[in-house]
Amino acid sequence: MIESSSLNEIEIRERMHLLEAIFSFTPDGLVSFNEQKKIARVNPAFIVLTNTEQEIWEGLNEEDFRAKLLELCHLEEKTDNSPWSTILHFLTADNAEGRVFAVCKIVPPTGGSFMHFHDITQSYSQNKRLNKEFWAHTAHDLRTPIASVQGFSELLLNNTFDASVQKEILGIIREESIKVIGLINKLVSSAS
């Protein structure tokens, strides 16, 4: 019986050392809260990622922790049901946007909670750039046929043409309006 108890203690110690290593060496920021909802620990990565000192976080309750975070960043809460329901935009000293984190709160059944801060700065910036490029191309693709429709309709309104020329111009207007409708349909279907 004593041997079994010693083995369990050794196994528990090994698991604790493994968890300690994971907590200490993960590149993502981790903050653990005890059952009283006060910070139990912050890992070194959180300190580095937030460019803060360990002492400012010690003993804060969840509400004070959130208030302290809001001093350092802009909060964007998402309304989807993913566990990554919060995006934090940390600001640099000159209030420029710095790092961007996806935040997940984990509440295990054993009590307490954890907050996981995953640095998404690179993918967020890339997504922002791609989104900007997409809308720039889309605006260009919409302006071209609309400009044709506008120009040819003004031509018809301000001039008199024989029936064949008028029919040709109306055909161009129709083709360009079909292009606009096609582009709008693509936008709507891609948004779904």
Side-chain angles (χ1 to χ4, degrees), residues 9-45:
E9 286 178 24
I10 292 170
E11 192 175 293
I12 289 171
R13 265 190 300 236
E14 286 175 357
R15 284 187 181 180
M16 291 300 290
H17 287 300
L18 178 63
L19 288 173
E20 178 64 32
I22 291 169
F23 194 83
S24 296
F25 296 111
T26 182
D28 289 345
L30 296 173
V31 178
S32 67
F33 294 87
N34 61 23
E35 290 178 358
Q36 291 76 39
K37 297 186 177 193
K38 290 192 175 209
I39 292 179
R41 280 196 66 202
V42 297
N43 74 337

Side-chain angles (χ1 to χ4, degrees), residues 38 44-45 48 64 67 163 177 182:
K38 290 192 175 209
V48 170
D64 292 339
S177 64

Side-chain angles (χ1 to χ4, degrees), residues 6-175:
S6 295
L7 286 176
N8 284 341
E9 286 178 24
I10 292 170
E11 192 175 293
I12 289 171
R13 265 190 300 236
E14 286 175 357
R15 284 187 181 180
M16 291 300 290
H17 287 300
L18 178 63
L19 288 173
E20 178 64 32
I22 291 169
F23 194 83
S24 296
F25 296 111
T26 182
D28 289 345
L30 296 173
V31 178
S32 67
F33 294 87
N34 61 23
E35 290 178 358
Q36 291 76 39
K37 297 186 177 193
K38 290 192 175 209
I39 292 179
R41 280 196 66 202
V42 297
N43 74 337
F46 179 80
I47 298 302
V48 170
L49 295 172
T50 58
N51 195 27
T52 59
E53 299 294 326
Q54 178 89 25
E55 295 77 32
I56 70 166
W57 304 107
E58 290 177 356
L60 291 179
N61 62 33
E62 282 189 40
E63 189 176 306
D64 292 339
F65 173 75
R66 183 178 172 93
K68 189 64 153 170
L69 274 179
L70 289 176
E71 290 175 16
L72 301 170
C73 63
H74 165 72
L75 178 69
E76 175 187 322
E77 298 204 59
K78 295 171 20 182
T79 55
D80 62 11
N81 290 327
S82 81
W84 300 97
S85 59
T86 304
I87 304 294
L88 295 176
H89 301 264
F90 276 81
L91 304 175
T92 60
D94 59 354
N95 275 339
E97 190 169 295
R99 293 180 128 157
V100 181
F101 298 92
V103 183
C104 176
K105 184 175 180 181
I106 303 159
V107 182
T110 56
S113 63
F114 292 90
M115 291 189 84
H116 179 189
F117 294 77
H118 182 63
D119 191 342
I120 60 167
T121 305
Q122 188 174 4
S123 60
Y124 184 84
S125 297
Q126 183 179 16
N127 188 31
K128 210 170 166 182
R129 180 184 56 78
L130 290 172
N131 191 33
K132 190 175 181 177
E133 287 176 14
F134 170 79
W135 285 111
H137 290 298
T138 301
H140 171 75
D141 289 349
L142 284 170
R143 277 191 197 109
T144 302
I146 289 172
S148 292
V149 167
Q150 182 183 11
F152 282 111
S153 61
E154 285 177 7
L155 194 61
L156 282 176
L157 287 171
N158 297 326
N159 297 291
T160 305
F161 296 101
D162 63 42
S164 66
V165 173
Q166 194 174 14
K167 189 173 182 174
E168 184 181 341
I169 292 173
L170 288 171
I172 293 170
I173 291 172
R174 183 176 182 278
E175 287 174 24

